[in-house]
């Protein structure tokens, strides 16, 4: 295996500051690691929030946590993914947004590994932190131990697969927690990416009607291609809005409501 000496990445030095390209050295993956050449990363809304300084982000910051990539090399001991499928160089994979320091109460007892003390996330660290390549806005990424890797089936395109580990995973968890069942009605506030996934997954779980609320007309139109049966503008007259929602959700309104607009 011959690696290039360096891999490039785009970093920013302060909130709202410009991005610049920097290179950091590459090394073979250590035991338990996987070195990936990134194929695609999204700009998640939370990347934008971090860059805008709405939440803390160390600088020089390397963003991008919805990532897929091709395996360049496997570190010692890594042979299969979280499902038991074999892993080898060239395989296209996704992986968990976060990695945890080890077995702990939050992961083992509460089944909330993402809340473990000492959790770290891809695309959330300073580029100066070794092994430097740990975000989507770069050419390479080291997947470190205590991450979860999934080999991607060919049926998914890159664009479909890239948001799996954040946007899709979030809405799978939300619709499970909301226990949306066959025949129910669901109201979704906010028709951005999370709202679209929420609508699609609610329908896949058997919801008979999904109502979406968003003040953006373009988003409302698009949502109707993703399982929303009725898209309404929340700024319309309140009684008319309630009348329309209740008209589709007899007898007593929506069985479940999902809030993903994020506006206070
Ligand atoms: Zn995200």
């Amino acid at each position: 295996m011959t690696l290039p000496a360096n891999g490039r990445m785009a970093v920013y030095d302060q909130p709202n500051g410009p991005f610049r390209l920097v290179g950091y050295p590459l090394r073979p993956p250590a035991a338990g690691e996987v070195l990936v050449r990134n194929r695609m990363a999204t700009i998640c809304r939370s990347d934008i929030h971090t860059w805008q300084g709405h939440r803390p982000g160390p600088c020089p910051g390397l963003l991008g946590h919805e990532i897929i990539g091709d395996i360049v090399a496997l570190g010692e001991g890594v042979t299969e993914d979280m499902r038991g499928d074999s892993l080898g160089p060239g395989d296209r994979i996704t992986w968990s947004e976060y990695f945890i320091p080890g077995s702990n109460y939050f992961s083992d007892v509460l089944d909330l590994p993402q809340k473990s003390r000492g959790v770290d996330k891809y695309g959330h660290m300073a580029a100066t932190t070794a092994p430097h390549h740990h975000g989507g806005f770069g050419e390479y990424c080291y997947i470190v131990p205590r991450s979860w890797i999934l080999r991607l089936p060919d049926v998914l395109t890159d664009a479909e697969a890239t948001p799996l580990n954040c946007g899709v995973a979030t809405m799978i968890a939300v619709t499970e927690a909301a226990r949306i069942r066959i025949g129910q009605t669901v109201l979704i506030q906010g028709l951005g990416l999370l709202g679209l996934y929420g609508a699609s997954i609610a329908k896949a779980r058997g919801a008979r009607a999904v109502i979406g609320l968003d003040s953006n007309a373009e988003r409302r139109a698009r949502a109707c291609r993703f399982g929303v049966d009725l898209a309404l503008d929340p700024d319309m007259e309140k009684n008319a809005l309630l009348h329309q929602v209740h008209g589709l959700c007899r007898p007593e309104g929506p069985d479940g409501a999902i809030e993903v607009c994020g506006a206070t």
Side-chain angles (χ1 to χ4, degrees):
M1 175 186 58
T2 49
L3 285 176
N6 283 289
R8 288 176 303 166
M9 64 186 71
V11 302
Y12 69 105
D13 294 305
Q14 65 206 41
N16 302 299
F19 285 80
R20 61 186 169 89
L21 288 177
V22 292
Y24 279 97
L26 291 165
R27 54 153 175 78
E33 290 182 347
V34 177
L35 176 60
V36 165
R37 183 168 169 92
N38 293 339
R39 286 176 74 95
M40 185 178 279
T42 70
I43 302 172
C44 180
R45 177 63 66 175
S46 56
D47 286 315
I48 298 174
H49 287 165
T50 304
W51 175 73
Q52 289 176 325
H54 296 165
R55 55 184 206 164
C59 286
L62 173 59
L63 298 170
H65 55 268
E66 290 184 335
I67 327 166
I68 62 168
D70 298 323
I71 294 176
V72 176
L74 296 163
E76 190 191 325
V78 186
T79 56
E80 54 186 40
D81 74 356
M82 62 191 287
R83 203 166 43 190
D85 282 335
S86 65
L87 292 176
D91 283 347
R92 190 178 64 138
I93 58 170
T94 185
W95 55 98
S96 54
E97 179 181 343
Y98 55 85
F99 51 95
I100 63 175
S103 219
N104 68 81
Y105 173 73
F106 294 91
S107 67
D108 299 354
V109 179
L110 298 183
D111 193 24
L112 288 170
Q114 68 273 34
K115 297 300 175 192
S116 303
R117 291 205 204 296
V119 69
D120 270 311
K121 297 182 180 181
Y122 297 96
H124 285 72
M125 297 188 290
T128 45
T129 300
H132 311 295
H133 306 270
H134 38 57
F137 294 2
E139 292 180 297
Y140 293 90
C141 187
Y142 287 97
I143 306 174
V144 300
R146 303 297 298 181
S147 307
W148 287 262
I149 296 172
L150 185 70
R151 201 176 80 193
L152 290 166
D154 293 340
V155 69
L156 292 176
T157 65
D158 286 354
E160 289 166 343
T162 303
L164 284 177
N165 70 341
C166 179
V168 176
T170 297
M171 295 316 291
I172 290 284
V174 165
T175 49
E176 278 180 3
R179 294 193 216 161
I180 293 166
R181 299 195 298 264
I182 290 173
Q184 293 196 321
T185 54
V186 181
L187 177 79
I188 298 180
Q189 300 189 156
L191 298 174
L193 188 73
L194 295 182
L196 298 185
Y197 284 135
S200 308
I201 297 167
K203 274 293 173 67
R205 290 176 68 95
R208 70 179 161 87
V210 175
I211 297 174
L213 296 181
D214 201 297
S215 52
N216 181 314
E218 202 178 314
R219 286 181 166 199
R220 289 199 300 275
R222 184 169 48 219
C224 294
R225 291 167 35 212
F226 288 85
V228 170
D229 300 287
L230 179 63
L232 299 171
D233 183 351
D235 296 327
M236 70 193 284
E237 197 275 319
K238 187 181 162 194
N239 284 326
L241 179 65
L242 286 173
H243 183 75
Q244 290 217 49
V245 172
H246 281 252
L248 203 63
C249 304
R250 297 188 184 286
E252 295 193 77
D255 298 299
I258 294 172
E259 154 46 43
V260 280
C261 78
T264 51

